[in-house]
Amino acid sequence: MTHHPHLPTTESAVTAIRAVAAEYRRTVAVTEDIGADRTSRRTAAPLFSVTDPDGSLPHEAFVELGGSPVIGVRLFPEGDAQITVDGVEFHDLPRDHVPPFLTSVYGGLAFVKGRFFPPGYKLCVPLAGDETYQEHVPGVSLTPWLSGRVR
């Protein structure tokens, strides 16, 4: 199997998430789907095939972290991830950005930016270096966790 060194396997990504959760005393529930027939999407494999072109089985996992904020992480076989923080969805994150993303949220670096016009809020999650993920907060009301982070 050929894996890019900067794209860890699903297992190693789950292990890294567990480590961050343990550091911040969060509970972790992992749902793992193994096999092409059980993943939510398939882009790499041809129709009706069971393995990816490199012969590996695709592997997807969903990780829920307890406490506030409510965080869900979906790890896709293609090496990307989706993180939901209190209902705010961050799509297409590289898998190796997931642990620093969680550390930023739990470490108190994440913040909410609000605007009067057009009205709305953005959840901003800065990573080490100068990268910041920003996503719009759906709806008009903020959860207690989000409203505690408005700047």
Side-chain angles (χ1 to χ4, degrees):
M1 289 195 315
T2 54
H3 282 294
H4 304 286
H6 63 285
L7 291 179
T9 63
T10 301
E11 288 86 352
S12 63
V14 169
T15 301
I17 293 169
R18 285 186 194 277
V20 173
E23 186 181 338
Y24 291 95
R25 295 180 193 72
R26 304 291 171 144
T27 58
V28 179
V30 180
T31 308
E32 298 190 67
D33 295 311
I34 301 170
D37 56 332
R38 294 189 42 210
T39 57
S40 64
R41 58 174 200 196
R42 300 293 301 133
T43 54
L47 201 59
F48 304 119
S49 70
V50 178
T51 58
D52 281 335
D54 65 359
S56 66
L57 275 175
H59 183 173
E60 182 175 305
F62 180 70
V63 184
E64 285 178 282
L65 295 111
S68 180
V70 176
I71 296 182
V73 181
R74 186 167 286 286
L75 300 164
F76 295 108
E78 292 82 13
D80 60 328
Q82 173 193 327
I83 302 179
T84 305
V85 181
D86 261 13
V88 182
E89 291 187 4
F90 292 82
H91 295 275
D92 303 321
L93 273 80
R95 235 188 308 211
D96 53 355
H97 286 193
V98 173
F101 184 101
L102 295 175
T103 299
S104 179
V105 170
Y106 288 139
L109 297 176
F111 62 94
V112 173
K113 256 188 336 200
R115 290 184 317 192
F116 288 110
F117 195 82
Y121 293 96
K122 271 187 180 172
L123 175 57
C124 305
V125 181
L127 302 190
D130 56 357
E131 184 150 25
T132 299
Y133 286 102
Q134 299 184 40
E135 285 296 338
H136 287 282
V137 177
V140 288
S141 63
L142 295 174
T143 65
W145 184 85
L146 287 168
S147 61
R149 268 135 202 94
V150 173
R151 281 191 192 165

